[in-house]
């Protein structure tokens, strides 16, 4: 079954329009979630984020996955596409973002996974990213593209949730034991 036609993003910020480029003056602020878990946040880390979203919507091979949940196979409530950063047909700014993050965090970011939440009904349940199954303290970097969206984290088993309203071009990096806890 082919996915529904992709809707084009609506620019909601002056900083999200124009050619995609990294902001040279963007600062990153660390938020400690507990003694072992943290997130780093940077507003407007990527300028021209809406243009990048349009490029990705037009060129990536978007698919809707299926997952076994609660004993039954369900469609994932989003579209996804993997991107090898060695692929020179993809926008150069993806490689620039990966290089900048590699410089900041001292690890190699060599691929990215794109998720497209088509509207307010698309979302995912509380989860940990798969990299947490094989890496002790993985870094997971997220660059938000498109309209504002709430991003929430909470401890496994429940507890106080930490929420961030992410706008187009904002960066959020999860580190420490965040994927495990």
């Amino acid at each position: 079954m082919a996915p529904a036609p992709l809707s084009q993003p609506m620019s909601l910020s002056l900083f999200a329009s124009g050619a995609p480029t990294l902001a040279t003056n963007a600062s990153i602020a660390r938020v400690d979630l507990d003694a072992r878990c943290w997130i780093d946040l940077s507003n407007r880390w990527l300028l021209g984020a809406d243009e990048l979203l349009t490029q990705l919507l037009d060129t990536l091979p978007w698919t809707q996955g299926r997952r076994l949940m609660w004993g039954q196979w369900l469609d994932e409530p989003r579209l996804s596409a993997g991107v090898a950063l060695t692929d020179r047909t993809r926008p150069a700014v993806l490689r620039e973002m990966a290089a900048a993050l590699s410089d900041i965090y001292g690890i190699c970011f060599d691929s990215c996974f794109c998720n497209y939440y088509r509207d307010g009904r698309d979302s995912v349940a509380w989860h940990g990213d798969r990299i947490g199954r094989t890496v002790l303290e993985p870094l997971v970097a997220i660059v938000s593209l498109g309209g504002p969206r709430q991003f929430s984290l909470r401890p496994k088993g429940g507890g106080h949730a930490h929420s961030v309203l992410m706008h187009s071009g904002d960066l959020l990096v999860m580190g420490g034991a965040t994927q495990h806890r």
Side-chain angles (χ1 to χ4, degrees):
M1 174 180 218
L6 303 180
S7 59
Q8 296 298 310
M10 176 177 55
S11 184
L12 299 173
S13 167
L14 173 65
F15 300 105
S17 61
T21 186
L22 295 180
T24 56
N25 60 349
S27 62
I28 297 176
R30 172 127 332 150
V31 176
D32 291 318
L33 302 173
D34 66 25
R36 296 182 50 214
C37 303
W38 54 265
I39 57 174
D40 283 350
L41 300 166
S42 181
N43 295 327
R44 295 190 296 269
W45 186 76
L46 174 68
L47 304 176
D50 287 349
E51 174 60 29
L52 178 59
L53 177 56
T54 298
Q55 291 173 21
L56 297 176
L57 287 174
D58 290 344
T59 62
L60 291 184
W62 297 100
T63 61
Q64 184 170 28
R66 291 184 57 80
R67 209 172 268 271
L68 183 62
M69 296 176 68
W70 305 291
Q72 58 184 330
W73 285 95
L74 301 172
D75 290 335
E76 290 181 343
R78 64 182 178 195
L79 302 179
S80 299
V83 177
L85 295 176
T86 55
D87 183 347
R88 298 292 179 185
T89 66
R90 301 299 175 217
V93 73
L94 295 177
R95 290 182 293 283
E96 293 167 18
M97 288 190 292
L101 291 168
S102 294
D103 288 347
I104 293 166
Y105 293 101
I107 67 165
C108 180
F109 285 84
D110 60 0
S111 63
C112 69
F113 197 73
C114 301
N115 291 313
Y116 178 49
Y117 298 89
R118 296 162 286 193
D119 57 36
R121 294 173 303 219
D122 280 3
S123 65
V124 293
W126 298 109
H127 72 284
D129 291 293
R130 290 182 184 150
I131 192 170
R133 297 176 190 167
T134 57
V135 177
L136 184 59
E137 290 193 345
L139 287 174
V140 174
I142 297 169
V143 178
S144 185
L145 305 176
R149 190 141 178 118
Q150 197 76 18
F151 184 91
S152 299
L153 300 105
R154 72 162 185 193
K156 284 187 179 179
H160 174 71
H162 186 92
S163 294
V164 176
L165 182 61
M166 294 187 70
H167 296 273
S168 200
D170 290 354
L171 169 71
L172 181 143
V173 178
M174 296 176 276
T178 303
Q179 294 303 315
H180 300 286
R181 298 178 51 148

